[in-house]
Amino acid sequence: MWRIILLSVIQSAFLAGGQVFLKFALLRMPPFGWTRRFWGALLVNWPFAACGICFGIASLLWMYILKHFPLSTAYPMIGFSYVLGMVFAIVFFHETVAPYKWLGVALVIAGCCIIAK
């Protein structure tokens, strides 16, 4: 049980980290558009590269998890990425989270632990 939870939390941290880097990358970008200026700025944007690296590592870990655990157990563990995404939003972007959202986080964590058991 603890092995899939640990691997899922690590994989989810890379997924959520990729989203954080993507947000940082987009904050540094001109408005989205199909222009040479937008795509040129994207190619020299280091947070965008870091985003891709995080997603790549998360994908490799996901392949390992799928190889060693049943899909019905592994797939719900992606819920940890929602939890970490919310925590990272607070830490990196100083977003405010309502108490009912914390209740949702507690339910997601409890659900993941029940499924892993």
Side-chain angles (χ1 to χ4, degrees), residues 13-117:
F14 279 108
L15 275 178
Q19 295 295 341
V20 168
F21 279 120
L22 182 59
K23 177 79 171 177
F24 279 132
L26 293 172
L27 289 173
R28 301 174 72 180
M29 299 287 297
F32 182 84
W34 297 103
T35 63
R36 185 177 303 156
R37 179 175 173 247
F38 177 82
W39 295 102
L42 187 67
L43 293 175
V44 295
N45 193 329
W46 74 263
F48 186 70
C51 160
I53 291 168
C54 284
F55 288 151
I57 293 169
S59 295
L60 291 173
L61 261 167
W62 181 241
M63 290 189 308
Y64 178 86
I65 290 168
L66 282 180
K67 178 74 175 164
H68 292 90
F69 297 97
L71 181 63
S72 62
T73 302
Y75 197 74
M77 297 300 138
I78 292 174
F80 283 125
S81 66
Y82 301 120
V83 173
L84 292 174
M86 195 171 81
V87 171
F88 289 176
I90 294 166
V91 172
F92 294 108
F93 302 108
H94 311 291
E95 294 181 11
T96 305
V97 177
Y100 70 89
K101 290 183 181 179
W102 286 113
L103 175 62
V105 164
L107 292 171
V108 168
I109 292 170
C112 288
C113 290
I114 290 168
I115 288 169
K117 188 108 169 122

